[in-house]
Amino acid sequence: MTDYHSENEPETMQDDFFDQLHPADAADHLENLPLEEQVVMVRGLPLEDAAESIAEMDSHDRIPLMTQLPPKLAADILTLMSPDDAADTVAELEPDIRKAIFRELDQEDAAEIKSLLMYDPDSAGGVMNTEILVLDENLTADQAITVIRSQVEDSEIPYYAYMVDQYRHLKGVLSLRDIMISPGGKKLKELLVEQNLIAVPFDTDKEEVAKLIARYNFLALPVVDHGQRILGTVTVDDVIDIIQEEASEDMQQMVGAGGDETIDSPWGYSLKMRMPWLFVNLLNSAVSAWVVHLFEGSIEQMAILAVLMPIVANQAGNTGQQSLAVMIRQLAMERFDRKKVWIAVAREAKIGLVNGLIIGLATFFGIILVFQRPGLAAVMALALLFDMLLGAIAGASIPLILKELGRDPAQASSIFLTTLTDSMGFFVFLGMAGVFLL
Amino acid sequence: MTDYHSENEPETMQDDFFDQLHPADAADHLENLPLEEQVVMVRGLPLEDAAESIAEMDSHDRIPLMTQLPPKLAADILTLMSPDDAADTVAELEPDIRKAIFRELDQEDAAEIKSLLMYDPDSAGGVMNTEILVLDENLTADQAITVIRSQVEDSEIPYYAYMVDQYRHLKGVLSLRDIMISPGGKKLKELLVEQNLIAVPFDTDKEEVAKLIARYNFLALPVVDHGQRILGTVTVDDVIDIIQEEASEDMQQMVGAGGDETIDSPWGYSLKMRMPWLFVNLLNSAVSAWVVHLFEGSIEQMAILAVLMPIVANQAGNTGQQSLAVMIRQLAMERFDRKKVWIAVAREAKIGLVNGLIIGLATFFGIILVFQRPGLAAVMALALLFDMLLGAIAGASIPLILKELGRDPAQASSIFLTTLTDSMGFFVFLGMAGVFLL
C-alpha cells in the first residue's frame, strides 16, 4: 500500500515485500519477528526504508533493535529519521550505546539531536518537528513559490510556511494555499497584515498544545523560544498520538496500571507497573477491614450486617467512579478552569444525592420485602444515601485535588476513591446498626 | 484572536467583541449566556459569524438556541454552515421545528442536508465533509491551479484535491503541494501513476476511519459510494473529535455513566444516564450479598471472616480493572485482531497469577503476624490467588465478549467485572473457611 496521503512520500524500495508496505505496517511486521531476524531484515533494507519503519516501531521493540545494530548502521539510520524521531530513539538507549552511535554521527546531526534531547519530552519542545519551511517575510509570493519548489522535499509537513525577519523572529504564518492564491508580486509581509499570531513557548506542556490544536482545528502550531524565535512546529499527527497516549494514561493509571502499557508490552513490565499499586490497594483495604473489625461484636450478633455491608460499599464506589470518569475526561479535554471544575463538584454532589435517595428508597422497600425488618431497611437506606453522596463528591474532587497538588489527576484515583467509600460505608452502616438495631 | 490556521478564514465582523474571537471561543461565550440573551446576541451578529459560532456550540446548548430562533433566521444560518455541521444540527431538532426550517431553506440546500441525514451518524458518511475540491483527471497542472484559485475559497479544508473521471469515479488524490511542484503541462492523471488509492465506503464505522487516519498520518480520507464515486472526505480535525469522544465514551460507559456526558450536561441528563446502571449494580451486589448470606452461619461463628472478605474482593476487583483498562484501550486504538487480543488474555492471566502469588504471600505473612492464625492466612492467600487470577482473566475477556456480541466493549464492563470478583471472591473465601477452619 503506497501512501500518498502521509507526510512521508513513498520511496522506491529494493525489497519486494517492503515495497508494498506503509512504514506503519512495515513496523508491525518487524515487531512480529524475533530480534535476530529483525536485525537481518534491517541490514537488508534501503536505509531510508529502515529509518521510516524503525521510527514507527513501538519503543519496547525499537530500543533492543537499535541496540543490536552496528553503531555505524544505527547512526546512518538515525540521520535519515526526522530529528524529533531520532531524538526520541536516542533518548531511550543505554548511555554506552548512545555514545558509540554519537561517535558515528556527523557533527551537525549529533548537535541537532543533542539540542532536542535537552527539551522535556512532555513539552512542546520535546514533541516538535524542526524540519519546517521558513521564509523571509520580504520575499514576494512568486519568489516564495520558487523557494518552496526547491525546499519542499525536505520538510516533513509543509502545509504552512513560517515568515521570519532577519533574526528569525516569527512574524506570521501562511498556508501554501494562501501563497498560491495571492498575487505573485505581493510581499509576504503584506499578506500577514492583521494576523494575530498564535505560537507556544517550547516549555508549554504537550497536552496544552494538543488542546489548543484540537480546539481551534489547527494543522500545526509553531513553537518559539522566549525571544519569539521559531524553533519548530507541533503537527496534528503528533497531536493525535498525544491525545491517544493521554487517554490510555488516564484510564490505566486511574486503576493503578502503567500509563504506557499495551498488550504488546513485556509482561514483566506490566507486572512491575501494577504491583506497587496493588500493594497500596491492599493497605487501603486493610484500613477498611480495620473499620469492620471495630464492629466484629455487632457482626457476631447479627451476621446479616456482613451480608448487606458490601452492597453499601459497592453502590457508593460505583457512584463515585461515574463522577470520577466524567471529571478526568473534563480535565483531559479542556483547558483547566479552576472555578468551573469546582462548581462541577456541586453538580456531581446533586446527582449523587438524588441517585442516593432513589437507590436508598428502592433498597429500603426491598429489604422490608425480603427480611421484614424496617429498622434494618432504614439503616441501610441512610447508609447508602450518605455513602453515595460521599462517593460522588469524592469522585469529582479527587482528580482536582491531585491536580492542585501538581500530580497526575488520574493516578490511582479509583483506588483512593474505593478506600474512602468502603471504609466510610462500612463505618456508617455498621455504626448506625450498632446504635439503632442492637 | 484571529485564527489563520483553521479551515475557516477569518471574516470581518461587525460586532466589536466577537471581532476578536475564534468561533470556538465565541461558542463558549454564547453558552455562558442565558437563552434569551443568546437569541438577542445571535440576531445582532453577521450571519456568517453566527453560523460559525453556533456550529461550534455544544449540542445541549445549540438545540434550544436553534429552536428559539425564527425559522427564517435559523435557515439562513444553516445555509452558511458547512453541510455536515448543518445536518448534525438539524438531526437533533424536534420534527415540527425541523419542518418549519426546511420550508425556509432553498431547495438545493435542503436536498443536500436531507441526503446527509440519511447516513448513520456513526459512519464515515455521517461525519464526512462534502465541500471538497474535485478535479477532472484530464486537466493539466497549470489548468488545475487556475481552477483551484477560483474554487478554493469554497472548500472547507482543501489540502487535497480529488481526481475523478467523467462519472465522478475517484481516480486518485493529490495534495495542493503535489500539484504546485509538478511541471505545469503535465496532466493530473499522469501524476497519479502508481498511486494505491485508499478510500472508505460511506458505511464504514467512524472509529475505523479514525484508526486509519491516525495510523497512517493522513490529513483526510476520501469517502465513496459502493460504485467508487466520491462523496466527501473525513478530515483530521473531525478525527480528533471522534478520538476524544470515543475515549470519553469508553471511560464513562465502563462505570455506567453516559458516554456523551460532560460537566456541562444538564444534571438531569446525567441522572437519567447513570441511574439504570446503578440499579444493575444494585442487583449485582444483591447477588454477591446472597453469596455471603449462604455463609451467614460461618460468619456468626467467626466474625473475622467478614473483616477479611472485602480485602479479597477489593484486590481482585482492582486487578481485573487493570486488565480491563488495558484491553479497552487496545480495542480503541488498533484495528480489531481477534487472534492477537485473545492471546493478550493469556498475558493478562499470567500477570494476574504472579501478582496473585505475591499479594497472596504478603497477605499470608501479614495475617500470621497480626492474628497468629496460619490456617486463616492460608485460606485468605489461596482465595486471593484464585480471585485475582479470575479478575485478570475476566477483566481482559469482558470487553472482548461484549465486542463479539456486537456490543460496545466498554459498556458497564467494570460493573460486570466487580459482580464476578465480588461473588466468586466471597464464595471461595467463605467456602474454604467453612471447610478448613470451622
Side-chain angles (χ1 to χ4, degrees), chain B residues 22 62 77-78 88 94 101 105 108 120 141 143 163 172 174-175 205 219 221 226 228 319 323-324 327 346 360 386 400:
Chain B
H22 182 282
R62 184 174 55 197
I77 286 172
L78 283 178
D88 288 347
E94 294 296 323
I101 293 177
L105 281 170
E108 200 185 323
D120 176 351
Q143 289 169 325
M163 311 308 125
L174 293 170
S175 67
D205 188 300
L219 288 183
L221 199 58
H226 289 306
Q228 198 67 15
T319 306
S323 303
L324 182 66
M327 192 60 84
F386 167 82
L400 301 181

Short mmCIF file of all heavy atoms in Angstrom, two decimals, chain B residues 22 62 77-78 88 94 101 105 108 120 141 143 163 172 174-175 205 219 221 226 228 319 323-324 327 346 360 386 400:
data_model
loop_
_atom_site.label_atom_id
_atom_site.label_comp_id
_atom_site.label_asym_id
_atom_site.label_seq_id
_atom_site.Cartn_x
_atom_site.Cartn_y
_atom_site.Cartn_z
N HIS B 22 -12.22 33.65 18.07
CA HIS B 22 -12.32 32.46 17.24
C HIS B 22 -13.71 31.86 17.46
O HIS B 22 -14.25 31.96 18.56
CB HIS B 22 -11.23 31.47 17.68
CG HIS B 22 -11.21 30.22 16.86
ND1 HIS B 22 -12.10 29.21 17.03
CD2 HIS B 22 -10.40 29.82 15.86
CE1 HIS B 22 -11.84 28.24 16.17
NE2 HIS B 22 -10.81 28.60 15.45
N ARG B 62 -26.87 24.15 21.71
CA ARG B 62 -27.18 24.57 20.34
C ARG B 62 -28.64 24.33 19.99
O ARG B 62 -29.28 25.15 19.33
CB ARG B 62 -26.26 23.81 19.38
CG ARG B 62 -26.39 24.22 17.94
CD ARG B 62 -25.35 23.52 17.09
NE ARG B 62 -25.44 22.06 17.26
CZ ARG B 62 -24.48 21.21 16.92
NH1 ARG B 62 -23.35 21.66 16.41
NH2 ARG B 62 -24.64 19.92 17.09
N ILE B 77 -28.87 30.72 8.75
CA ILE B 77 -27.66 30.31 9.46
C ILE B 77 -27.20 28.92 9.01
O ILE B 77 -26.03 28.70 8.74
CB ILE B 77 -27.92 30.36 10.99
CG1 ILE B 77 -27.96 31.82 11.45
CG2 ILE B 77 -26.86 29.57 11.76
CD1 ILE B 77 -28.38 32.02 12.89
N LEU B 78 -28.16 28.00 8.89
CA LEU B 78 -27.82 26.64 8.44
C LEU B 78 -27.16 26.66 7.06
O LEU B 78 -26.23 25.91 6.79
CB LEU B 78 -29.07 25.77 8.37
CG LEU B 78 -29.60 25.25 9.70
CD1 LEU B 78 -30.87 24.44 9.46
CD2 LEU B 78 -28.56 24.38 10.41
N ASP B 88 -25.84 17.84 11.20
CA ASP B 88 -25.75 17.45 12.61
C ASP B 88 -26.73 18.28 13.44
O ASP B 88 -27.35 17.76 14.38
CB ASP B 88 -24.34 17.68 13.16
CG ASP B 88 -23.34 16.67 12.61
OD1 ASP B 88 -23.79 15.67 12.02
OD2 ASP B 88 -22.13 16.89 12.76
N GLU B 94 -36.49 19.07 17.06
CA GLU B 94 -37.82 18.45 17.08
C GLU B 94 -38.39 18.47 15.65
O GLU B 94 -38.16 19.42 14.90
CB GLU B 94 -38.76 19.26 17.98
CG GLU B 94 -38.40 19.24 19.44
CD GLU B 94 -38.50 17.84 20.06
OE1 GLU B 94 -39.42 17.10 19.67
OE2 GLU B 94 -37.64 17.51 20.89
N ILE B 101 -38.12 24.94 9.52
CA ILE B 101 -36.85 25.44 8.97
C ILE B 101 -36.68 24.99 7.53
O ILE B 101 -36.25 25.76 6.66
CB ILE B 101 -35.66 24.99 9.84
CG1 ILE B 101 -35.74 25.68 11.22
CG2 ILE B 101 -34.34 25.33 9.16
CD1 ILE B 101 -34.67 25.26 12.19
N LEU B 105 -35.59 26.91 3.76
CA LEU B 105 -34.33 26.64 3.05
C LEU B 105 -34.57 26.61 1.55
O LEU B 105 -35.64 26.21 1.10
CB LEU B 105 -33.77 25.28 3.47
CG LEU B 105 -33.03 25.20 4.81
CD1 LEU B 105 -32.76 23.74 5.16
CD2 LEU B 105 -31.71 25.98 4.76
N GLU B 108 -31.99 23.41 -3.01
CA GLU B 108 -30.71 22.71 -3.15
C GLU B 108 -30.10 22.42 -1.78
O GLU B 108 -29.64 21.31 -1.50
CB GLU B 108 -29.77 23.58 -3.98
CG GLU B 108 -28.62 22.83 -4.61
CD GLU B 108 -27.68 23.80 -5.31
OE1 GLU B 108 -28.16 24.79 -5.91
OE2 GLU B 108 -26.46 23.59 -5.22
N ASP B 120 -25.89 7.00 8.62
CA ASP B 120 -25.73 6.70 10.04
C ASP B 120 -24.73 7.69 10.64
O ASP B 120 -23.62 7.82 10.13
CB ASP B 120 -25.21 5.26 10.15
CG ASP B 120 -24.90 4.85 11.58
OD1 ASP B 120 -24.92 5.71 12.48
OD2 ASP B 120 -24.66 3.65 11.79
N ALA B 141 -1.60 20.40 -14.84
CA ALA B 141 -1.30 21.02 -13.55
C ALA B 141 -1.61 22.51 -13.59
O ALA B 141 -2.20 23.06 -12.65
CB ALA B 141 0.16 20.77 -13.17
N GLN B 143 -3.73 24.13 -15.57
CA GLN B 143 -5.19 24.32 -15.59
C GLN B 143 -5.77 24.07 -14.20
O GLN B 143 -6.66 24.80 -13.74
CB GLN B 143 -5.84 23.34 -16.58
CG GLN B 143 -5.58 23.68 -18.05
CD GLN B 143 -6.01 22.55 -18.98
OE1 GLN B 143 -5.91 21.37 -18.65
NE2 GLN B 143 -6.50 22.92 -20.17
N MET B 163 -9.11 13.57 -7.86
CA MET B 163 -9.20 13.44 -9.30
C MET B 163 -10.30 12.45 -9.64
O MET B 163 -10.35 11.36 -9.06
CB MET B 163 -7.89 12.88 -9.89
CG MET B 163 -6.62 13.57 -9.43
SD MET B 163 -6.66 15.34 -9.64
CE MET B 163 -6.29 15.82 -7.95
N GLY B 172 -7.88 9.25 -7.95
CA GLY B 172 -6.64 9.49 -7.22
C GLY B 172 -6.73 10.75 -6.40
O GLY B 172 -7.72 11.49 -6.48
N LEU B 174 -4.33 14.12 -4.94
CA LEU B 174 -3.07 14.87 -4.96
C LEU B 174 -3.17 15.97 -3.92
O LEU B 174 -4.23 16.55 -3.71
CB LEU B 174 -2.85 15.50 -6.35
CG LEU B 174 -2.59 14.52 -7.50
CD1 LEU B 174 -2.62 15.25 -8.83
CD2 LEU B 174 -1.25 13.79 -7.31
N SER B 175 -2.05 16.24 -3.26
CA SER B 175 -2.04 17.39 -2.37
C SER B 175 -1.84 18.63 -3.21
O SER B 175 -1.32 18.57 -4.34
CB SER B 175 -0.93 17.25 -1.34
OG SER B 175 0.31 17.35 -1.97
N ASP B 205 -17.54 2.26 9.81
CA ASP B 205 -17.67 2.83 11.15
C ASP B 205 -16.69 3.99 11.32
O ASP B 205 -15.53 3.90 10.95
CB ASP B 205 -17.37 1.74 12.18
CG ASP B 205 -17.67 2.19 13.60
OD1 ASP B 205 -17.05 3.19 14.04
OD2 ASP B 205 -18.52 1.59 14.25
N LEU B 219 -4.20 13.40 6.45
CA LEU B 219 -4.92 14.62 6.83
C LEU B 219 -6.39 14.50 6.49
O LEU B 219 -7.23 15.20 7.04
CB LEU B 219 -4.34 15.84 6.12
CG LEU B 219 -2.97 16.29 6.62
CD1 LEU B 219 -2.56 17.54 5.88
CD2 LEU B 219 -2.98 16.52 8.11
N LEU B 221 -9.35 11.51 4.44
CA LEU B 221 -9.56 10.23 3.78
C LEU B 221 -10.84 10.36 2.94
O LEU B 221 -11.87 10.77 3.47
CB LEU B 221 -9.75 9.16 4.86
CG LEU B 221 -9.54 7.70 4.50
CD1 LEU B 221 -8.16 7.44 3.95
CD2 LEU B 221 -9.77 6.84 5.74
N HIS B 226 -20.77 2.79 -3.09
CA HIS B 226 -20.35 1.44 -3.45
C HIS B 226 -19.99 1.33 -4.93
O HIS B 226 -19.47 0.31 -5.37
CB HIS B 226 -21.43 0.42 -3.04
CG HIS B 226 -21.49 0.26 -1.55
ND1 HIS B 226 -20.39 -0.05 -0.79
CD2 HIS B 226 -22.50 0.43 -0.66
CE1 HIS B 226 -20.73 -0.10 0.48
NE2 HIS B 226 -22.00 0.20 0.59
N GLN B 228 -17.76 3.46 -6.11
CA GLN B 228 -16.46 4.13 -6.10
C GLN B 228 -16.55 5.61 -6.53
O GLN B 228 -15.57 6.24 -6.87
CB GLN B 228 -15.47 3.35 -7.00
CG GLN B 228 -13.99 3.65 -6.78
CD GLN B 228 -13.48 3.19 -5.40
OE1 GLN B 228 -14.13 2.41 -4.70
NE2 GLN B 228 -12.34 3.70 -5.01
N THR B 319 -7.30 -5.75 40.41
CA THR B 319 -6.50 -6.50 39.42
C THR B 319 -7.25 -6.59 38.09
O THR B 319 -6.68 -6.37 37.02
CB THR B 319 -6.23 -7.93 39.95
OG1 THR B 319 -5.62 -7.81 41.24
CG2 THR B 319 -5.30 -8.68 39.02
N SER B 323 -6.53 -5.01 34.01
CA SER B 323 -6.61 -5.73 32.74
C SER B 323 -7.67 -5.13 31.83
O SER B 323 -7.47 -4.98 30.62
CB SER B 323 -6.94 -7.20 32.98
OG SER B 323 -6.01 -7.80 33.84
N LEU B 324 -8.78 -4.77 32.44
CA LEU B 324 -9.90 -4.18 31.69
C LEU B 324 -9.47 -2.90 30.98
O LEU B 324 -9.74 -2.70 29.79
CB LEU B 324 -11.03 -3.89 32.69
CG LEU B 324 -12.33 -3.32 32.18
CD1 LEU B 324 -13.04 -4.34 31.29
CD2 LEU B 324 -13.25 -2.94 33.34
N MET B 327 -7.17 -3.53 28.04
CA MET B 327 -7.86 -4.14 26.90
C MET B 327 -8.80 -3.15 26.20
O MET B 327 -8.87 -3.13 24.97
CB MET B 327 -8.63 -5.38 27.37
CG MET B 327 -9.14 -6.24 26.24
SD MET B 327 -7.81 -6.87 25.17
CE MET B 327 -7.30 -8.32 26.10
N ALA B 346 -4.26 -14.31 27.72
CA ALA B 346 -3.31 -15.19 28.40
C ALA B 346 -2.21 -14.38 29.08
O ALA B 346 -1.77 -14.70 30.19
CB ALA B 346 -2.69 -16.15 27.38
N GLY B 360 -0.76 -12.64 47.57
CA GLY B 360 -1.23 -13.73 48.43
C GLY B 360 -0.20 -14.06 49.50
O GLY B 360 -0.53 -14.19 50.69
N PHE B 386 -6.76 -17.14 43.76
CA PHE B 386 -7.81 -17.56 42.84
C PHE B 386 -8.57 -16.36 42.28
O PHE B 386 -8.78 -16.22 41.08
CB PHE B 386 -8.80 -18.50 43.55
CG PHE B 386 -10.06 -18.72 42.76
CD1 PHE B 386 -10.10 -19.65 41.74
CD2 PHE B 386 -11.21 -17.95 43.03
CE1 PHE B 386 -11.25 -19.83 40.99
CE2 PHE B 386 -12.37 -18.12 42.26
CZ PHE B 386 -12.39 -19.07 41.25
N LEU B 400 -13.87 -8.18 25.27
CA LEU B 400 -13.83 -8.99 24.04
C LEU B 400 -15.15 -9.71 23.83
O LEU B 400 -15.65 -9.79 22.71
CB LEU B 400 -12.69 -10.00 24.12
CG LEU B 400 -11.29 -9.40 24.28
CD1 LEU B 400 -10.24 -10.49 24.32
CD2 LEU B 400 -11.01 -8.41 23.16
#
